[in-house]
């Protein structure tokens, strides 16, 4: 066993970074045995050096992150500061000065993953980022390594714990969106500004990363269709229950049937209660993978939090350190297919549409005619109403997003249609 320690620089010491430092200290002997050499925390870059950080030698703390990654004796840089800059510059500087990188930065990887992989390859370094998607759940490495010999056709999952907690509360208690969000905030599941979560920016970044790995192609954040869940109502859950479904904010990455393109999208969707993802409760995450040889696989566990995310970071740290000792690097970017990302209008799925209509003869026939004229086949229709007003719920067979959009526009032009109260996709069948 090598006695000279591998030196680690930690960029960021917040909720995740402090847990990384703690585990490195408390599990030092185990990490040494697993890696084949001791690991040493050689420096911690922070913005507020005066803050007391339990278990961390103040002499290791610095505000000069650039100088830390330029030292030349650092073997691995762990980046958990998030955001685009200065994280991007620090990571590339680390590669240039001999260090491999472990990152949890989903936003940066979704935007500039290709450039970061190219920089890592140019300098013969590792770039690992298990913690960027789904917290503690082993997902990136199974996709990059365990399923490398298989052909993945679909990845569908719940990848944001905050939104899943909110939707689960709405479903199980009948609470409205704001009430459920307030509870999530009080419990620490939602940030003071929850926009990144509830408007699906966080999930969209993760979808871009998953699609790129699963389909061996370039998928950037801008390629991902994004729709938040702030408009989901208690009435939507009532409709879902009537269909034997619940509602989840899903990240969906699919390969086209002809294999010539891929899609990546994030939006609320109804899924049958019989689907494994329907039973994912609270702030947990789960990802459902469909491949040709392995069939259907599901990965489940805590998707956020300091300790769970640090677990994924430390797993990457062990792998990168082993590679360093062996004089090798792990799997890098694999984007050989160069498949185009199809626009949302070409995505085909089922839809649930709720209409407010006049309660009089002939309305259903008018509505059905509009669907037929736009090539959208109806699966089921439910109608209820009184006092001259009615609610009409239409569930379609599979149709493209573009054809459904044309249908809805035409429906709004009917005198008998007072409004379209909700439109939701139906997935998982």
């Amino acid at each position: 066993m090598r006695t000279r320690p591998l030196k680690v620089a930690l960029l960021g010491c917040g909720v995740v970074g402090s847990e990384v430092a703690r585990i490195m200290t408390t599990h030092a002997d185990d990490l040494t045995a697993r890696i084949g050499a001791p690991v040493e925390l050689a420096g911690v870059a922070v913005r507020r050096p005066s803050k007391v950080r339990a278990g961390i030698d103040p002499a290791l703390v610095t505000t000069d992150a650039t100088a830390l990654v330029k030292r030349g004796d650092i073997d691995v840089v762990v980046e958990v500061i998030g955001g685009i800059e200065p994280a991007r510059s620090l990571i590339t500087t680390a590669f240039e000065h001999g260090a491999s990188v472990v990152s949890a930065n989903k936003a940066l990887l979704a935007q500039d993953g290709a450039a970061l992989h190219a920089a890592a390859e140019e300098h013969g370094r590792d770039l690992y980022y298990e913690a960027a998607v789904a917290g503690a759940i082993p997902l990136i490495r199974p996709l990059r390594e365990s399923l490398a010999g298989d052909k993945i056709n679909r990845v569908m999952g719940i990848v944001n714990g905050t939104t899943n907690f909110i939707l689960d509360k709405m479903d199980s208690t009948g609470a409205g969106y704001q009430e459920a969000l307030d509870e999530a905030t009080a419990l620490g599941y939602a940030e003071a500004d929850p926009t990144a979560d509830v408007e699906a920016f966080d999930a969209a970044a993760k979808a871009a990363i998953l699609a790129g790995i699963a389909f061996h192609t370039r998928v950037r954040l801008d390629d991902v269709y994004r729709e938040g869940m702030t408009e989901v109502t208690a009435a939507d859950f009532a409709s879902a229950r009537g269909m034997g479904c619940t509602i989840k904010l899903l990240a969906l990455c699919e390969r086209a049937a002809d294999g010539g393109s891929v899609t990546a999208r994030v939006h609320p969707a109804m899924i049958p209660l019989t689907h494994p993802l329907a039973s994912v409760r609270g702030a947990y995450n789960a990802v459902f993978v469909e491949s040709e040889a392995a069939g259907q696989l599901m990965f489940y566990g805590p998707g956020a939090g300091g300790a769970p995310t640090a677990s994924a970071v430390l797993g990457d740290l062990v792998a990168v350190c082993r590679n360093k000792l062996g004089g090798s690097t792990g799997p890098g970017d694999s984007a050989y297919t160069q498949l185009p990302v199809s626009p949302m209008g070409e995505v085909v799925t089922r839809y649930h549409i709720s209409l407010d209509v006049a309660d009089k003869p002939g309305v259903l026939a008018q509505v059905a005619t509009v669907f037929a004229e736009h090539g959208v086949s109806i699966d089921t229709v439910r109608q209820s109403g009184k006092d001259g007003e009615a609610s009409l719920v239409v569930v379609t067979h599979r149709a493209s997003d573009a054809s459904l959009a044309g249908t809805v526009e035409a429906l709004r032009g009917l005198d008998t249609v007072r409004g379209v109260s909700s439109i939701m996709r139906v997935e998982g069948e």
Side-chain angles (χ1 to χ4, degrees):
M1 179 180 290
R2 175 174 131 167
T3 57
R4 184 173 68 82
L6 292 159
K7 294 189 176 183
V8 178
L10 179 61
L11 308 183
C13 198
V15 173
V16 176
S18 60
E19 281 296 305
V20 170
R22 181 187 67 80
I23 295 171
M24 285 185 64
T25 301
T26 58
H27 295 180
D29 291 342
D30 288 334
L31 291 173
T32 297
R34 293 167 191 171
I35 292 169
V39 287
E40 173 189 305
L41 188 59
V44 182
V46 300
R47 285 183 297 180
R48 295 185 297 275
S50 60
K51 181 180 177 180
V52 176
R53 295 171 173 85
I56 296 178
D57 183 351
L60 297 178
V61 177
T62 178
T63 57
D64 194 343
T66 301
L68 178 59
V69 299
K70 281 184 173 181
R71 274 177 35 174
D73 64 334
I74 299 296
D75 295 290
V76 184
V77 169
V78 174
E79 183 272 309
V80 288
I81 57 178
I84 306 302
E85 287 292 356
R88 175 172 49 197
S89 297
L90 291 170
I91 289 173
T92 55
T93 301
F95 292 146
E96 292 166 1
H97 288 78
S100 291
V101 173
V102 173
S103 176
N105 196 330
K106 53 189 171 287
L108 177 58
L109 288 159
Q111 177 172 307
D112 289 321
L116 293 177
H117 273 292
E121 184 176 359
E122 178 185 354
H123 296 284
R125 310 300 171 201
D126 272 324
L127 174 62
Y128 276 49
Y129 44 91
E130 185 68 64
V133 181
I137 304 172
L139 182 59
I140 300 298
R141 199 169 303 157
L143 291 177
R144 289 212 297 183
E145 299 179 32
S146 302
L147 295 172
D150 206 343
K151 181 180 180 181
I152 297 173
N153 292 319
R154 194 174 202 227
V155 179
M156 178 172 75
I158 298 163
V159 295
N160 183 279
T162 300
T163 53
N164 199 59
F165 178 88
I166 293 170
L167 292 172
D168 183 38
K169 281 296 176 181
M170 292 176 70
D171 187 21
S172 61
T173 69
Y177 165 75
Q178 190 60 51
E179 182 182 352
L181 173 60
D182 290 344
E183 182 174 355
T185 304
L187 293 172
Y189 291 125
E191 301 285 348
D193 179 2
T195 302
D197 294 320
V198 300
E199 294 296 351
F201 289 100
D202 174 86
K206 295 170 181 176
I209 295 169
L210 291 175
I213 296 171
F215 307 132
H216 304 280
T217 196
R218 302 267 189 242
V219 180
R220 289 170 50 88
L221 180 58
D222 293 344
D223 296 320
V224 180
Y225 172 82
R226 178 190 56 80
E227 183 182 321
M229 43 76 71
T230 58
E231 301 301 318
V232 176
T233 66
D236 292 325
F237 275 101
S239 293
R241 283 190 290 273
M243 292 177 57
C245 292
T246 188
I247 299 171
K248 299 291 186 182
L249 183 74
L250 297 180
L252 298 111
C253 312
E254 295 177 297
R255 187 191 301 270
D258 64 3
S261 64
V262 300
T263 59
R265 50 196 167 103
V266 176
H267 53 71
M270 295 182 180
I271 58 172
L273 294 174
T274 54
H275 194 282
L277 290 177
S279 62
V280 179
R281 310 299 298 271
Y284 275 70
N285 283 190
V287 177
F288 202 72
V289 177
E290 299 177 21
S291 67
E292 288 194 355
Q296 296 179 334
L297 306 169
M298 185 162 139
F299 301 84
Y300 170 83
T309 306
S311 171
V313 170
L314 267 295
D316 279 351
L317 178 62
V318 168
V320 170
C321 287
R322 286 172 175 170
N323 292 343
K324 190 87 173 181
L325 289 178
S328 64
T329 56
D333 195 18
S334 176
Y336 67 91
T337 62
Q338 299 183 7
L339 296 173
V341 181
S342 297
M344 187 62 188
E346 297 179 10
V347 170
V348 175
T349 189
R350 298 179 67 206
Y351 290 87
H352 175 283
I353 306 102
S354 296
L355 305 172
D356 298 321
V357 299
D359 186 15
K360 62 182 183 180
V363 172
L364 180 55
Q366 284 184 322
V367 169
T369 297
V370 169
F371 275 87
E373 288 174 347
H374 288 80
V376 179
S377 176
I378 293 176
D379 182 18
T380 62
V381 177
R382 298 197 311 273
Q383 184 172 359
S384 61
K386 60 181 180 179
D387 301 327
E389 299 297 327
S391 175
L392 194 64
V393 175
V394 178
V395 179
T396 74
H397 287 292
R398 291 175 66 82
S400 72
D401 191 80
S403 63
L404 196 282
T407 303
V408 171
E409 183 177 357
L411 288 170
R412 288 192 169 110
L414 295 177
D415 292 339
T416 51
V417 174
R418 311 300 192 212
V420 180
S421 55
S422 74
I423 303 169
M424 193 166 294
R425 296 166 185 88
V426 182
E427 303 286 349
E429 294 184 313

